[in-house]
Amino acid sequence: MKEASELYDVTIIGGGPAGLYAAFYSGMRDMRTKLIEAKEELGGRTLIYPEKMIWDVGGVPPIRCEQLTRQMIRQACTFDPTIVLGQQINKLERLEDGTMIVTAETGERHHTRTLILAVGYGVLKLAKLEIQGAERYEAANLYYTVTEVEGFRGKRLLISGGGDSAVDWANELEPVAGQVTVVHRRDRFGGHEKSVSRMKESSVDVRTPYAVTQLHGSGGRIEAVSIERVNPEGHLSGEAERLEIDAVIVNHGLRGDRGPISGWGLDMGEWNINADEKLATNLPGVFVAGDTANYPSKLHLIAGTFTDAALAVNSAKLYMEPDAPKTAYVSSHNSRFNEKNEALSVSEEEAHR
């Protein structure tokens, strides 16, 4: 068994928006910080939608997801946390002194006073279209992610799904594609109300409640799809309608697998880990943030994720030091930024010379 690493104040598991902001904010609290990400790159769920426009981060104008990801990573590195990539954490053990060791599937052991789980829904995989033989079109014109909007210019496009991503891509691609058709098996969409209204008021052909039941193609390319109406009981009507299309985008959500974390004894719901208003779980010294956190006032926005991260870090700090200030001093009055502010001032002066 490998020796445990040096002791950290907080170890953050997960390198998505919640984990990245927790790494930044823990630096504001002068905590020795380690961030561990299972993949070989940081960004979490934002890596899936690099071209998607993000509108709802406070004080940030509309920004592409890939750019926001870069900025979050840069911010996370402000106070030089230790970052570990490519390690999926499997095991948690508590020592007699109350500290914890988490062990990766590689055998690496990480020693920490507190733990913040920012694992989202676990290891994420895109939900595939459940039609036999669909995979043979993935190399041509069946898409689960969009990396280049221009590739759909002038095309007849069908989007299958009814969540945020399906609605957002319908709005994003409507001015570019020749025709956008959205097929959703429910009448009600899961996207934000404003986005849904925008889609319905545009030229997008909205087909509800319908489901894609068959793909028609040759030479590895889809040429048409069959859709069928879904009755109130959730069953297909059996009456198919054929639509000629040039490309299909499937947005059926993500399927997550938390793996061994599910066996740690955490109080878990169907999708999330239950926590109190301070983001504390039922395990002492273990906190949650982001999509993985479930509490009554949970806000499912990136802005809410940032708040989760700060609350979890504050709780971790107070767990170690009950007499510490309840929150970090704001950045405009935080001594941790003094040298950095001076460096920025010098850079600005030099730029204007």
Side-chain angles (χ1 to χ4, degrees):
M1 180 179 294
K2 297 182 180 180
E3 291 294 324
S5 63
E6 299 175 50
L7 181 63
Y8 283 77
D9 294 325
V10 60
T11 296
I12 303 158
I13 300 179
L20 291 170
Y21 195 75
F24 166 73
Y25 194 81
S26 62
M28 289 181 66
R29 302 234 56 181
D30 199 21
M31 298 167 73
R32 191 177 188 205
T33 304
K34 177 182 285 186
L35 185 152
I36 304 173
E37 165 58 41
K39 294 183 178 179
E40 292 293 344
E41 59 182 328
L42 298 169
R45 190 172 177 177
T46 64
L47 296 172
I48 298 174
Y49 310 110
E51 286 282 317
K52 186 175 179 180
M53 294 299 296
I54 305 296
W55 287 74
D56 50 11
V57 177
V60 178
I63 184 173
R64 293 213 177 271
C65 212
E66 59 182 352
Q67 184 181 354
L68 180 63
T69 302
R70 289 196 299 270
Q71 294 181 183
M72 290 190 296
I73 293 171
R74 181 180 178 184
Q75 183 184 49
C77 294
T78 300
F79 298 104
D80 300 317
T82 298
I83 295 178
V84 179
L85 300 177
Q87 289 192 23
Q88 182 172 350
I89 298 301
N90 288 353
K91 183 180 178 183
L92 168 66
E93 56 184 305
R94 193 177 299 274
L95 305 183
E96 290 183 3
D97 63 1
T99 62
M100 293 168 279
I101 290 179
V102 291
T103 305
E105 61 182 6
T106 58
E108 299 291 335
R109 289 155 55 84
H110 305 275
H111 195 188
T112 189
R113 290 188 171 93
T114 63
L115 194 64
I116 295 177
L117 302 178
V119 296
Y121 300 117
V123 178
L124 295 174
K125 295 181 179 179
L126 291 165
K128 295 295 188 77
L129 188 63
E130 295 181 352
I131 293 178
Q132 187 174 0
E135 65 280 357
R136 68 174 176 267
Y137 299 112
E138 292 179 13
N141 59 345
L142 174 61
Y143 302 88
Y144 292 97
T145 60
V146 177
T147 57
E148 186 181 352
V149 172
E150 279 298 314
F152 298 98
R153 182 165 294 279
K155 293 186 177 181
R156 298 166 298 177
L157 175 63
L158 183 140
I159 299 174
S160 177
D164 280 323
S165 294
V167 174
D168 288 348
W169 280 124
N171 288 329
E172 185 88 4
L173 291 164
E174 186 265 343
V176 176
Q179 174 62 48
V180 176
T181 300
V182 173
V183 176
H184 182 38
R185 64 184 302 116
R186 298 179 182 85
D187 283 318
R188 185 179 179 85
F189 284 86
H192 296 302
E193 292 96 330
K194 187 69 174 178
S195 299
V196 173
S197 296
R198 177 186 167 195
M199 176 184 70
K200 290 183 175 180
E201 291 167 2
S202 72
S203 67
V204 174
D205 181 13
V206 177
R207 301 294 190 97
T208 63
Y210 278 87
V212 177
T213 56
Q214 193 172 355
L215 305 177
H216 309 279
S218 61
R221 296 188 64 85
I222 303 170
E223 297 171 346
V225 301
S226 291
I227 63 173
E228 291 184 31
R229 178 175 285 276
V230 179
N231 63 30
E233 290 74 37
H235 303 303
L236 296 172
S237 66
E239 298 179 7
E241 179 181 352
R242 183 180 171 117
L243 303 176
E244 305 296 320
I245 56 90
D246 298 307
V248 175
I249 297 174
V250 177
N251 288 138
H252 289 180
L254 299 162
R255 292 175 180 169
D257 180 8
R258 292 199 183 89
I261 287 178
S262 300
W264 287 5
L266 291 157
D267 178 14
M268 300 182 70
E270 183 178 1
W271 301 104
N272 315 91
I273 297 173
N274 296 321
D276 63 16
E277 70 279 2
K278 297 180 180 179
L279 280 298
T281 71
N282 61 308
L283 300 183
V286 180
F287 306 90
V288 288
D291 286 335
T292 197
N294 181 45
Y295 56 97
S297 58
K298 174 66 180 174
L299 177 64
H300 290 280
L301 291 173
I302 291 181
T305 285
F306 296 155
T307 300
D308 283 359
L311 289 172
V313 169
N314 286 333
S315 295
K317 180 74 172 183
L318 292 171
Y319 177 83
M320 296 187 302
E321 303 174 28
D323 295 329
K326 291 184 178 180
T327 65
Y329 292 113
V330 295
S331 59
S332 58
H333 294 83
N334 193 315
S335 61
R336 296 281 285 163
F337 292 96
N338 289 347
E339 290 185 9
K340 298 179 185 299
N341 288 337
E342 290 177 9
L344 286 173
S345 296
V346 171
S347 296
E348 289 176 358
E349 290 177 3
E350 291 178 347
H352 287 88
R353 285 176 184 172

